[in-house]
Amino acid sequence: MASALRALYKTVNAYYLGYAYELAQHLRLARRQEAPDGRFVLFARGRSGTTLLLSLLDRHPAVACDGEILRRRAWHPQELIKAHEALTAQPVYGFKLLSYQLRSLQTHRPNRRAMLEELVDNGFQVIYLRRRNLLRHALSGLYAEHRRHWHQTPAAVSHERFSIDRSDLFRWLDGSAQLARFEQRMLEALPHLALTYEDDLEDTAVHDRTLRRVTGWLGLDPIDPQTTLQRTTPRRLDAFVDNAAEVRRWVAASPYARFLPSTP
């Protein structure tokens, strides 16, 4: 009964409340009358470093970053984006679009790629962020689900141990692989700046280089990287997973075995 109620709540929140939210945004007073000088959309899977990247960009005085404004179904997504854009005053506006939101929530739009194409036609520059290691991606998602905590600051850093269920692990792995293929189809031949979590965000030492690439792509002056966010998932599997040896055996016997060497 409890699981059925949770499923019902998720459906109502993701779909029907989205229309109410969309209407509410149109009723808010706009701060700007003219379009911003620049626009961007950060397209990615969740648990890929999107919040970190936006936190770095949002410190730029010329940039206003929105979060997941399409986390619910929107009847007119482009108009909702314009409504959010109108609430900002900075010269450059951007928001986050998670790939599952495009694939699984905006289902009333038969051509999902056309939505990205329309954004590009309207002057949005696409930043595509992905995580190469699907196993680390799955572990990050499972750990966040277990803790019910998706991001943390230095004051909130804490780690706890848990056991991973095999079906949950492969639910995440298979889902991540499916979204990766979907993302490639959506972005084919579309201009975009490609980043990976492993190369461009995981190590704080590369944040300056990454921020320079992104601000350069957007035509902005560089700034020094600053963020209060901390890694939520420990690097070593044994540090937070009680059945780490069992998880390694499952993955070693699966199509995802190639991700084990980079998962200590």
Side-chain angles (χ1 to χ4, degrees):
M1 181 65 177
S3 60
L5 288 174
R6 284 195 297 269
L8 177 61
Y9 169 77
K10 286 183 178 180
T11 300
V12 171
N13 182 56
Y15 293 94
Y16 303 107
L17 289 185
Y19 301 139
Y21 173 79
E22 185 176 3
L23 175 61
Q25 301 314 300
H26 288 296
L27 296 176
R28 298 173 70 183
L29 294 176
R31 295 183 62 186
R32 72 161 85 233
Q33 301 301 319
E34 298 180 354
D37 297 333
R39 298 178 169 110
F40 70 89
V41 55
L42 176 57
F43 185 57
R45 264 160 285 165
R47 311 308 299 165
S48 295
T50 56
T51 301
L52 172 57
L53 181 56
L54 284 188
S55 76
L56 292 169
L57 279 173
D58 204 32
R59 289 186 175 271
H60 198 294
V63 176
C65 293
D66 258 330
E68 301 168 33
I69 61 177
L70 294 177
R71 65 186 180 276
R72 300 181 180 94
R73 178 185 285 181
W75 194 251
H76 298 290
Q78 301 291 349
E79 294 303 316
L80 177 60
I81 294 166
K82 289 179 183 178
H84 273 271
E85 180 183 276
L87 298 172
T88 65
Q90 286 89 335
V92 175
Y93 170 77
F95 72 98
K96 181 197 306 189
L97 175 61
L98 299 186
S99 51
Y100 90 88
Q101 296 166 353
L102 181 61
R103 184 195 68 179
S104 304
L105 295 184
Q106 310 307 323
T107 53
H108 55 301
R109 295 179 65 93
N111 188 345
R112 313 288 202 285
R113 179 181 161 86
M115 183 174 164
L116 281 180
E117 291 173 339
E118 191 174 347
L119 284 172
V120 172
D121 290 343
N122 288 336
F124 276 85
Q125 294 175 271
V126 179
I127 301 170
Y128 175 46
L129 176 61
R130 67 185 179 93
R131 197 161 182 166
R132 279 199 307 268
N133 189 321
L134 300 190
L135 177 55
R136 295 297 308 183
H137 182 245
L139 292 170
S140 176
L142 288 166
Y143 195 46
E145 285 180 351
H146 168 73
R147 299 173 70 226
R148 297 183 180 276
H149 196 72
W150 297 85
H151 310 104
Q152 63 188 16
T153 60
V157 170
S158 64
H159 295 127
E160 57 187 77
R161 302 181 64 81
F162 79 126
S163 292
I164 293 178
D165 178 81
R166 188 181 189 280
S167 61
D168 287 339
L169 175 64
F170 285 97
R171 167 176 61 85
W172 263 93
L173 284 166
D174 293 341
S176 184
Q178 291 164 11
L179 281 172
R181 292 190 291 270
F182 171 79
E183 291 158 9
Q184 293 304 310
R185 293 198 303 273
M186 293 301 100
L187 290 171
E188 186 177 0
L190 279 182
H192 64 275
L193 174 66
L195 304 173
T196 66
Y197 174 78
E198 290 84 354
D199 293 339
D200 301 304
L201 288 172
E202 186 171 20
D203 186 349
T204 58
V206 303
H207 287 183
D208 181 70
R209 182 196 68 194
T210 299
L211 201 51
R212 286 178 180 275
R213 281 187 66 196
V214 176
T215 52
W217 171 257
L218 297 175
L220 296 169
D221 292 331
I223 60 170
D224 292 332
Q226 296 181 51
T227 183
T228 59
L229 294 177
Q230 298 285 311
R231 185 200 303 273
T232 59
T233 308
R235 179 66 181 163
R236 296 192 61 83
L237 195 59
D238 295 325
F240 68 106
V241 177
D242 286 330
N243 59 331
E246 192 174 31
V247 167
R248 289 192 179 96
R249 286 197 300 272
W250 295 338
V251 176
S254 79
Y256 304 105
R258 66 187 184 277
F259 299 115
L260 275 172
S262 53
T263 306

